[in-house]
C-alpha cells in the first residue's frame, strides 16, 4: 500500500469521515481505511440532533441530506405506565440550536455523502480494506496491517493512526485501551419498515419493563425501528431477530395496531453489547474518536453528532502531535485532546448515565415522565440536551432533578 501520508484513519463512518475532512482541509495528508464499500447500511437509530446540521453544513453535505431526510421537531417519551411526555427543540427555554429541528436519514445515504466530502477535501479513501493489527516502532504506533478483499495482507505506515472504527474498535483493542462497562449490557435490533401507522415528526421512545424501542420517520416512506433489550435475551433472537422484534412490538397493546400491516424494508441487523469506553482516547502515535472512544447506551441517540463533533474537535490536536519534536510534546497533545473531550462531552456522559438508571427502573421512569408531561418546559430542556444545544448541566442541577422526582 502506498505510504507518504501523515495520518491513517481507520473507519469511514461519521467520526472517521469528519476527522479526515477536518485534517485534509488543514493540509494534512490523510488516508481513510474502511472494510465496507460505500454506500453501505449500518445498524443505527439514524437520528441527527439539531446541532448536527451545523457540522453537515460545514462539510458541505447539508443540502444533500435535506433532500433525503425527515425532519424531527422533538421527542416523545412513553413510560411503562403509559404516560407520554413531549419535548420540542424549539421552545421558550432561551437556548437555540443551529436549526429548530433534527434530521433522520438512512445511513447508506449519510455515510456515503460524508465519505465523498472527505474525498473532496483531499483525503484518500480505501474501501474494502480491513485493518487487522497495528504496527509499532519503539513502542509508538506507526501504522497498520491491512487485508484487502483478495485476502492479501500488507503494511501501511503513517506517523499517526486514528481509530474511528466504532463500538468494537480493533484499534482500541490493539492499543489495550478498550473497556466494557459492567452495566447496562444491552443489545439492539434495528429494522426498517414501510406502512407503520401514525408516524409523526418526533423521535418516539417507548420504555417497557422488558426493553425499549425508538421509532422515527427516516424519509422516503420508511420508518427506522430500533428495539433495545438486555443482553441476556440475545439467545431468544439469535438467527431470526426480525421475527423477535415484530413479535415484541405486537405484544404491546399501544404498538400492535401500528405494526399490524408493516412491510420490512431491507435487512434486520443486530448490534451490541453497548456500554464500552476506552481508558483514554490516545496512545503514543494514536488517537480514538467517536464510538471507538466511548459509547454508553443508545437511548439518548446522539452517536452521529458525537462522531461528527469528535472529528472536528480532534483535528487540531492531531496537527499538534504531527508537529511535535519530542515524544513528550506528542503526549501533551494527547492529554490536551483528552481534556477537551471531557469538557465537550463530560456533561452528556453524566446525563446518559442518569437516563440509563431511569430506563432500568420503571418506578423512576414513570415518575420522571409524569413530571415532564405535567410541566412541558422540563421535557423541552431534556430534548434540548439530547439535541446537543442545551448545556448538560442545565438538567444535572439539583433543582431540575428534584422537579423530576418530586413534582
Amino acid at each position: 500500500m502506498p505510504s507518504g501520508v501523515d495520518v491513517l484513519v481507520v473507519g469511514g463512518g461519521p467520526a472517521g469521515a469528519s476527522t479526515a475532512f477536518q485534517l485534509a482541509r488543514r493540509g494534512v495528508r490523510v488516508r481513510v481505511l474502511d472494510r465496507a464499500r460505500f454506500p453501505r447500511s449500518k445498524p443505527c437509530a439514524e437520528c441527527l440532533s439539531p446541532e448536527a446540521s451545523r457540522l453537515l453544513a460545514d462539510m458541505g453535505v447539508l443540502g444533500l441530506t435535506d433532500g433525503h431526510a425527515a425532519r424531527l421537531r422533538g421527542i416523545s417519551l412513553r413510560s411503562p405506565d403509559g404516560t407520554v411526555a413531549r419535548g420540542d427543540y424549539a421552545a421558550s427555554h432561551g437556548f437555540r440550536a443551529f436549526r429548530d429541528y433534527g434530521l433522520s436519514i438512512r445511513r447508506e445515504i449519510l455515510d456515503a455523502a460524508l465519505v465523498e466530502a472527505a474525498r473532496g477535501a483531499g483525503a484518500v479513501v480505501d474501501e474494502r480494506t480491513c485493518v487487522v493489527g497495528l504496527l509499532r516502532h519503539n513502542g509508538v504506533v506507526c501504522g497498520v496491517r491491512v487485508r484487502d478483499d483478495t485476502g492479501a495482507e500488507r503494511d501501511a505506515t503513517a506517523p499517526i493512526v486514528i481509530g474511528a472504527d466504532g463500538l468494537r474498535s480493533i484499534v482500541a483493542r490493539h492499543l489495550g485501551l478498550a473497556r466494557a462497562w459492567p452495566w447496562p449490557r444491552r443489545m439492539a435490533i434495528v429494522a426498517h419498515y414501510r406502512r407503520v401507522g401514525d408516524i409523526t415528526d418526533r423521535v418516539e421512545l417507548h420504555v417497557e419493563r422488558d426493553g425499549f424501542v425508538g421509532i422515527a420517520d427516516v424519509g422516503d416512506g420508511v420508518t427506522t425501528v430500533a428495539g433495545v433489550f438486555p443482553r441476556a435475551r440475545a439467545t431468544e433472537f439469535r438467527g431470526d431477530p426480525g421475527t423477535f422484534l415484530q413479535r415484541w412490538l405486537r405484544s404491546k397493546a399501544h404498538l400492535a395496531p401500528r405494526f399490524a400491516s408493516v412491510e420490512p424494508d431491507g435487512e434486520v441487523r443486530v448490534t451490541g453489547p453497548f456500554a464500552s469506553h476506552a481508558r483514554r482516547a490516545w496512545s503514543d502515535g494514536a488517537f480514538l474518536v467517536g464510538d471507538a472512544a466511548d459509547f454508553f447506551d443508545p437511548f439518548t441517540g446522539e452517536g452521529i453528532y458525537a462522531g461528527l463533533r469528535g472529528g472536528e474537535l480532534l483535528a487540531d490536536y492531531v496537527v499538534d502531535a504531527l508537529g511535535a519534536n519530542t515524544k513528550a510534546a506528542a503526549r501533551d497533545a494527547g492529554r490536551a485532546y483528552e481534556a477537551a473531550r471531557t469538557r465537550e462531552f463530560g456533561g452528556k456522559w453524566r446525563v446518559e448515565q442518569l437516563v440509563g438508571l431511569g430506563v432500568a427502573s420503571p418506578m423512576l421512569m414513570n415518575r420522571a415522565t409524569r413530571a415532564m408531561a405535567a410541566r412541558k418546559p422540563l421535557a423541552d430542556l431534556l430534548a434540548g440536551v439530547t439535541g446537543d444545544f442545551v448545556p448538560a448541566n442545565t438538567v444535572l442541577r439539583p433543582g431540575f432533578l428534584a422537579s423530576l422526582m418530586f413534582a
Side-chain angles (χ1 to χ4, degrees):
M1 176 174 288
S3 55
V5 299
D6 302 311
V7 176
L8 291 169
V9 178
V10 182
S18 173
T19 303
F21 174 87
Q22 296 293 343
L23 288 172
R25 75 173 182 179
R26 286 166 171 78
V28 176
R29 297 172 300 171
V30 58
R31 193 176 205 101
V32 179
L33 311 173
D34 197 289
R35 67 173 61 204
R37 183 177 295 282
F38 294 90
R40 57 98 169 94
S41 62
K42 188 81 172 176
C44 176
E46 301 181 312
C47 295
L48 287 79
S49 66
E51 203 61 21
S53 288
R54 178 187 68 79
L55 296 153
L56 298 182
D58 185 53
M59 294 180 71
V61 301
L62 185 57
L64 172 65
T65 55
D66 271 345
H68 293 276
R71 294 186 179 188
L72 303 171
R73 66 186 179 99
I75 62 174
S76 174
L77 173 63
R78 186 184 189 277
S79 62
D81 68 0
T83 303
V84 177
R86 296 179 178 86
D88 292 324
Y89 296 133
S92 58
H93 43 50
F95 298 97
R96 186 76 181 268
F98 181 82
R99 280 177 157 183
D100 289 340
Y101 53 88
L103 299 173
S104 184
I105 184 171
R106 297 283 288 262
R107 286 291 296 271
E108 294 96 319
I109 299 169
L110 175 66
D111 289 10
L114 295 174
V115 164
E116 286 307 310
R119 280 194 174 108
V124 176
V125 180
D126 292 332
E127 301 174 56
R128 302 190 70 172
T129 302
C130 180
V131 171
V132 296
L134 299 180
L135 307 177
R136 289 181 172 87
H137 179 70
N138 294 331
V140 179
V141 174
C142 60
V144 297
R145 183 77 171 167
V146 302
R147 181 186 300 126
D148 64 25
D149 57 355
T150 70
E153 293 190 1
R154 65 198 76 180
D155 294 341
T157 61
I160 299 288
V161 172
I162 296 174
D165 48 339
L167 189 61
R168 287 168 292 281
S169 167
I170 191 170
V171 177
R173 291 202 309 271
H174 280 253
L175 290 172
L177 297 176
R179 295 289 184 272
W181 291 104
W183 173 92
R185 303 299 283 165
R186 296 184 176 126
M187 305 285 290
I189 304 173
V190 183
H192 294 104
Y193 296 113
R194 294 185 180 274
R195 299 177 61 187
V196 178
D198 300 326
I199 291 298
T200 70
D201 57 356
R202 295 177 183 273
V203 182
E204 299 179 36
L205 299 165
H206 299 258
V207 182
E208 304 291 338
R209 293 179 179 272
D210 58 345
F212 65 85
V213 65
I215 302 171
D217 178 8
V218 76
D220 299 325
V222 178
T223 300
T224 296
V225 179
V228 182
F229 308 98
R231 185 181 182 182
R233 300 196 68 182
T235 55
E236 298 178 48
F237 51 78
R238 186 172 295 144
D240 193 359
T243 296
F244 175 91
L245 180 60
Q246 288 203 38
R247 186 169 60 244
W248 187 88
L249 292 165
R250 290 167 179 168
S251 73
K252 311 305 175 187
H254 62 289
L255 293 174
R258 300 175 61 188
F259 287 87
S261 303
V262 295
E263 298 174 356
D265 187 280
E267 183 180 358
V268 177
R269 293 177 174 267
V270 176
T271 186
F274 304 109
S276 68
H277 72 109
R279 288 190 293 110
R280 63 176 186 270
W282 66 276
S283 186
D284 291 334
F287 293 88
L288 300 173
V289 67
D291 291 352
D294 65 87
F295 189 99
F296 181 70
D297 198 50
F299 189 83
T300 50
E302 307 93 60
I304 296 175
Y305 170 81
L308 294 170
R309 174 63 180 132
E312 181 184 53
L313 186 71
L314 173 58
D316 286 338
Y317 299 100
V318 173
V319 171
D320 290 345
L322 288 169
N325 294 320
T326 66
K327 193 173 185 178
R331 287 179 170 177
D332 286 343
R335 294 187 185 99
Y337 169 57
E338 188 73 19
R341 287 183 71 249
T342 300
R343 289 193 300 271
E344 180 73 19
F345 300 118
K348 287 294 291 297
W349 295 338
R350 291 190 291 275
V351 171
E352 289 171 359
Q353 291 163 5
L354 287 173
V355 170
L357 286 172
V359 171
S361 168
M363 180 189 72
L364 291 177
M365 182 56 68
N366 289 339
R367 184 172 296 217
T369 307
R370 285 197 296 267
M372 289 188 287
R375 297 175 58 188
K376 188 172 179 295
L378 298 177
D380 291 337
L381 279 172
L382 185 61
V385 171
T386 64
D388 299 305
F389 64 94
V390 172
N393 62 11
T394 305
V395 301
L396 292 171
R397 292 170 180 161
F400 182 90
L401 297 174
S403 296
L404 292 184
M405 293 297 101
F406 305 110

